[in-house]
């Protein structure tokens, strides 16, 4: 396993970026918020003691995974979650020829299990994109062991992270193909899904993803435009 190295990451980036590397931190998203000084910033850790997921969930973050946050000035835009998912999927495929898929909106899947997740946050004009990826861990806690997976190959985390940032930055400059590419990798499309709105459960077929990154779900009664939140597949 390649150790995280700030100079190595820096040398592989197409643009200059302030980088902080930690052996252990509570959460890279939280740390980035403390360190941010107006310039784009990357915070990466070998391990997190209080990794955070969406909806107040924790994110299991043992050592030797890839946990990082990228922060910059940007108006909040849910499409950035899609850009992050697509960029990591493409970086992994380009470097290691592994095929991942995406569960709308923020989950990366490998062999039908969750291998990574994305947590985007906005604090005033600071946009923080946090991404966690399971790499070699196979000892998951009971509540995750049937749902989670690792890539289970030797990964150069410095190279993967830099490749991700380069792809992500390119998509920030030109996002014209993001929705179509994301849709092609999103395995919930054309599947029956369920979701909750105000404590009521609905079902329908996920038909497409619109220009803002919302999931369109249709049933006999109506069409839903979901802008965030969790969906479940009725059948895999
Ligand atoms: C999810 O699956 O709900 C999102 C998980 C996001 C985890 C990453 S790991 C790096 C960054 N720091 C955190 O505390 N969370 C994100």
């Amino acid at each position: 396993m390649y150790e995280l190295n700030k100079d190595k990451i820096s040398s592989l980036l197409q643009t200059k970026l302030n980088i902080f590397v930690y052996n252990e931190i509570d959460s890279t998203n939280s740390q980035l918020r403390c360190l941010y000084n107006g310039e784009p910033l990357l915070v990466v850790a070998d391990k997190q003691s209080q990794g955070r997921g969406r909806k107040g969930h924790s994110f299991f973050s043992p050592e030797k995974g890839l946990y990082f946050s990228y922060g910059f000035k940007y108006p909040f835009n849910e499409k950035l979650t899609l850009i992050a998912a697509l960029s990591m999927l493409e970086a992994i495929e380009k470097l290691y020829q592994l095929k991942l898929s995406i569960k709308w909106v923020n989950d990366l899947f490998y062999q039908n299990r969750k291998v990574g997740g994305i947590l985007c946050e906005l604090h005033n004009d600071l946009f923080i994109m946090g991404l966690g990826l399971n790499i070699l861990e196979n000892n998951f806690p009971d509540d995750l062991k049937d749902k989670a997976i690792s890539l289970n190959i030797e990964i150069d985390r410095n190279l993967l992270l830099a490749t991700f940032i380069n792809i992500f930055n390119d998509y920030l400059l030109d996002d014209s193909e993001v929705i179509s590419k994301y849709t092609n990798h999103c395995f919930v499309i054309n599947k029956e899904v369920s979701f909750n709105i105000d404590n009521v459960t609905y079902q329908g077929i996920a038909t497409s993803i619109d220009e803002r990154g919302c999931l369109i779900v249709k049933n006999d009664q109506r069409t839903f435009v979901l802008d965030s939140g969790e969906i479940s597949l009725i059948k895999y």
Side-chain angles (χ1 to χ4, degrees), residues 46-134:
D46 189 54
K47 172 181 182 178
Q48 294 182 121
S49 55
Q50 291 174 57
R52 294 189 283 111
R54 282 168 68 115
K55 312 265 174 228
H57 294 146
S58 60
F59 187 78
F60 181 58
S61 312
E63 59 189 356
K64 308 275 183 233
L66 181 59
Y67 315 107
F68 66 91
S69 302
Y70 182 27
F72 46 92
K73 211 178 252 211
Y74 210 84
F76 188 81
N77 176 347
E78 187 67 85
K79 204 168 164 184
L80 294 196
T81 304
L82 281 73
I83 293 180
L86 180 64
S87 302
M88 184 50 81
L89 177 145
E90 289 188 353
I92 291 170
E93 180 158 5
K94 176 175 171 192
L95 296 172
Y96 303 107
Q97 292 76 51
L98 296 183
K99 294 242 182 263
L100 267 57
S101 57
I102 302 168
K103 176 167 177 253
W104 183 87
V105 53
N106 67 313
D107 287 339
L108 289 166
F109 269 59
Y110 178 56
Q111 298 179 342
N112 293 326
R113 291 176 183 220
K114 178 164 168 168
V115 72
I118 296 159
L119 174 67
C120 291
E121 298 178 305
L122 187 72
H123 300 284
N124 302 317
D125 59 354
L126 167 62
F127 179 85
I128 303 177
M129 192 287 301
L131 194 151
L133 189 70
N134 307 324

Side-chain angles (χ1 to χ4, degrees), residues 166-180:
N166 290 337
I167 296 174
F168 184 88
N169 284 343
D170 285 347
Y171 277 133
L172 280 188
L173 293 175
D174 176 5
D175 66 2
S176 55
E177 291 188 6
V178 167
I179 298 295
S180 62

Side-chain angles (χ1 to χ4, degrees), residues 101-102 177-187 189 209:
S101 57
I102 302 168
E177 291 188 6
V178 167
I179 298 295
S180 62
K181 288 185 177 175
Y182 181 100
T183 302
N184 284 338
H185 293 293
C186 180
F187 65 83
I189 299 298
I209 292 164

Side-chain angles (χ1 to χ4, degrees), residues 2-13 15-22 35 41-44 156-159 161-162:
Y2 296 79
E3 294 307 315
L4 290 167
N5 182 297
K6 173 181 160 168
D7 295 332
K8 175 99 189 284
I9 299 166
S10 201
S11 71
L12 294 164
L13 288 174
T15 49
K16 208 176 129 27
L17 199 54
N18 290 322
I19 302 173
F20 289 80
V21 174
Y22 296 91
L35 294 170
L41 187 59
L42 181 64
V43 176
V44 52
D156 179 343
R157 292 178 292 176
N158 304 305
L159 175 63
L161 179 51

